[in-house]
Amino acid sequence: REVAMSDSLAFDFYEDSFGSRYIARLSGHEAELRISRRGRSVWSLDHASIPRAIGGQWIGTALVAHAVHEARRSQRKLIPLCSFVRSQFNRHPEWRDVLSA
């Protein structure tokens, strides 16, 4: 199900037996942010995977920003387990309101 669109970048959210994830598609490639639920209102951001072909084009940052937007919208807190995601939170102090204690 598509949940947002930014320029030519579309975000989708999937849940299946493997867990949850946001997918972003750009130029025929898919980047993903894997998520684990830690209760009803806390999600951990476990792993970001960006194909080399679209690396360095802000798509990883856009995925994390989208997760932050969705967390705010649904009053959810986030735990940044992935080192890339942690680095994004360090670069964006304005996102700290969604960090889980």
Side-chain angles (χ1 to χ4, degrees):
R1 122 184 105 102
E2 191 170 299
V3 292
M5 177 75 90
S6 173
D7 298 328
S8 60
L9 184 61
F11 295 98
D12 295 303
F13 181 75
Y14 295 97
E15 281 188 292
D16 55 30
S17 59
F18 299 107
S20 304
R21 63 194 183 278
Y22 286 113
I23 300 288
R25 292 178 182 83
L26 181 67
S27 303
H29 299 279
E30 288 187 353
E32 77 173 5
L33 179 59
R34 290 215 165 260
I35 300 161
S36 295
R37 292 176 185 248
R38 302 289 178 112
R40 183 178 178 116
S41 62
V42 178
W43 286 10
S44 65
L45 306 179
D46 301 333
H47 180 70
S49 177
I50 315 308
R52 195 175 298 254
I54 56 173
Q57 296 185 39
W58 56 264
I59 193 166
T61 302
L63 270 170
V64 179
H66 183 71
V68 167
H69 169 78
E70 289 297 309
R72 285 177 178 150
R73 188 182 63 76
S74 59
Q75 299 180 339
R76 186 177 301 126
K77 294 294 184 178
L78 301 174
I79 302 170
L81 294 183
C82 169
S83 60
F84 172 78
V85 174
R86 279 194 310 271
S87 73
Q88 292 302 306
F89 270 90
N90 289 335
R91 290 179 184 154
H92 296 276
E94 69 274 16
W95 294 349
R96 292 195 179 131
D97 63 301
V98 298
L99 286 174
S100 179

